[in-house]
Amino acid sequence: MYGRGMRRATAAAGLIVAALGLVACGNEDGGTPAGNAVSSPSTTPSASPSVLPGESTGTSAGPTPERSVPEPVKTPTMAPTPTTQPASVRLRTSMLLTGSEVAKADPGRGWIATTASADPICGPSSTRGNGVRGSLNRNFTTELDASGGQWVTRYDDVRAAKAAYAKIVATIKSCKALDPAPTHARKLTENRTLPLGDATAILRWYDYPLPSDPGSEPGGFPYAVTREGTVVSVLAFREMGDGVKPANFEKLARAAGARLG
């Protein structure tokens, strides 16, 4: 018993010594036990990252270029394009009749241009409308008992000129600015239109004495109103007697209207 037991103990001790020797040999050779391999870090430098155009690498000392920003796209709208009205015609002295033209249209009367005022029988509102943007005036006289004038006014647009024309004609027809004397009466003896300009009206007031004042003189007051675009021209005459003959006054009206264009 003793001998077999000693042999088993000796054999076990030999196996332990052999195992220890294997471990010692592995450590001395610098090897790594199987199943625990560790890769050493690579010392090869990595490639530099690619740089896009316009970007900074972080090493340049200069400023970073700015990227261009595209213009914002305008969204089309359905709103109508505003339209502008034609520019208003400027007044010119050539739009006014001259003294010689009046003398030619109504001959034998001695008409001349004058600086003296010739107020129309139906007042200032019979020569101009509202919102006047420019005006010209020339007066005429026979240096006896007859006088007259031409008033040309300009307005912002055709609509305003039409309103002024209508107001002037209405004022002349009613003629409330100056009432006749108690012994006189007044009536509209002419009220007609001419195909001249955009609109032309000839109106004539006649002031005459009543039977109670047989020695008093009558008076003739012809008007010619013409509109051409944004311009309105008014001829207004006054004198003792019947006034400028209708045919002669129409010549004046046509001559004045032709000068507005």
Side-chain angles (χ1 to χ4, degrees), residues 40-108:
S40 60
S42 174
T43 58
T44 303
S46 60
S48 300
S50 59
V51 180
L52 295 176
E55 291 184 343
S56 172
T57 59
T59 59
S60 174
T64 302
E66 295 183 358
R67 294 188 181 184
S68 60
V69 179
E71 292 287 338
V73 179
K74 294 183 179 180
T75 304
T77 64
M78 299 301 293
T81 303
T83 57
T84 57
Q85 296 192 9
S88 181
V89 176
R90 291 188 176 277
L91 299 185
R92 308 178 303 275
T93 55
S94 60
M95 293 178 174
L96 296 171
L97 295 174
T98 64
S100 60
E101 286 177 307
V102 176
K104 184 178 179 180
D106 190 31

Side-chain angles (χ1 to χ4, degrees), residues 166-215:
K167 178 179 179 294
I168 291 169
V169 170
T171 299
I172 297 169
K173 286 182 177 180
S174 62
C175 207
K176 297 177 180 178
L178 181 63
D179 294 329
T183 58
H184 281 234
R186 186 180 297 166
K187 63 180 178 179
L188 192 66
T189 58
E190 274 193 276
N191 180 12
R192 58 196 179 95
T193 60
L194 296 178
L196 180 65
D198 293 320
T200 296
I202 290 183
L203 306 107
R204 181 188 295 261
W205 275 105
Y206 182 62
D207 182 286
Y208 59 96
L210 297 173
S212 59
D213 188 11

Side-chain angles (χ1 to χ4, degrees), residues 144-181:
L144 292 173
D145 57 0
S147 62
Q150 182 183 6
W151 289 261
V152 178
T153 49
R154 177 176 62 85
Y155 302 86
D156 281 337
D157 49 40
V158 172
R159 182 178 179 180
K162 286 182 177 179
Y165 175 88
K167 178 179 179 294
I168 291 169
V169 170
T171 299
I172 297 169
K173 286 182 177 180
S174 62
C175 207
K176 297 177 180 178
L178 181 63
D179 294 329

